[in-house]
Amino acid sequence: MKPFYVYILRCGDGSYYTGHTDNLEGRMQQYLHADTGYVRERGPFELVWQGKFETRAGALEFERRVKGWSRAKKEALMTGESERVQELAALQQ
């Protein structure tokens, strides 16, 4: 079964973009060659985090959660600081 990915891009303006796909390399190529869109308008971009999921539903659910996170919480995820992610989650409740 083909995996699905959730990814975070750091754009040239310092913002983060979160998305999901079943073809990570293909999706990055789409961003490189896009004429418009969030990533294109704020390029260049860098892939700074990716996570693998067994189902599209699981990837989409996680993408939606991450999009609601603070910048600090996203950065903790990117650097692998799972305890910090949990601390920041507790503060948001």
Side-chain angles (χ1 to χ4, degrees):
M1 188 152 113
K2 193 173 193 177
F4 296 88
Y5 300 90
V6 174
Y7 57 89
I8 300 175
L9 305 177
R10 180 181 299 119
C11 297
D13 67 356
S15 65
Y16 294 120
Y17 178 86
T18 304
H20 82 280
T21 186
D22 62 352
N23 181 349
L24 192 57
E25 181 60 33
R27 189 68 179 120
M28 296 304 110
Q29 289 300 313
Q30 287 177 335
Y31 289 130
L32 283 172
H33 301 290
D35 291 329
T36 61
Y38 185 92
V39 174
R40 175 67 178 163
E41 294 168 8
R42 291 162 178 81
F45 69 89
E46 174 186 9
L47 177 64
V48 292
W49 184 85
Q50 63 183 333
K52 192 184 289 188
F53 295 80
E54 292 182 13
T55 66
R56 183 176 301 277
L60 181 58
E61 178 185 336
F62 192 73
E63 174 193 357
R64 287 179 178 159
R65 285 181 24 212
V66 171
K67 283 183 173 183
W69 288 3
S70 67
R71 182 177 184 86
K73 193 171 174 183
K74 289 176 187 176
E75 290 174 347
L77 173 70
M78 289 182 267
T79 58
E81 298 174 68
S82 58
E83 288 181 16
R84 182 75 176 138
V85 170
Q86 292 174 357
E87 289 172 9
L88 291 166
L91 292 174
Q92 287 182 325
Q93 293 179 354

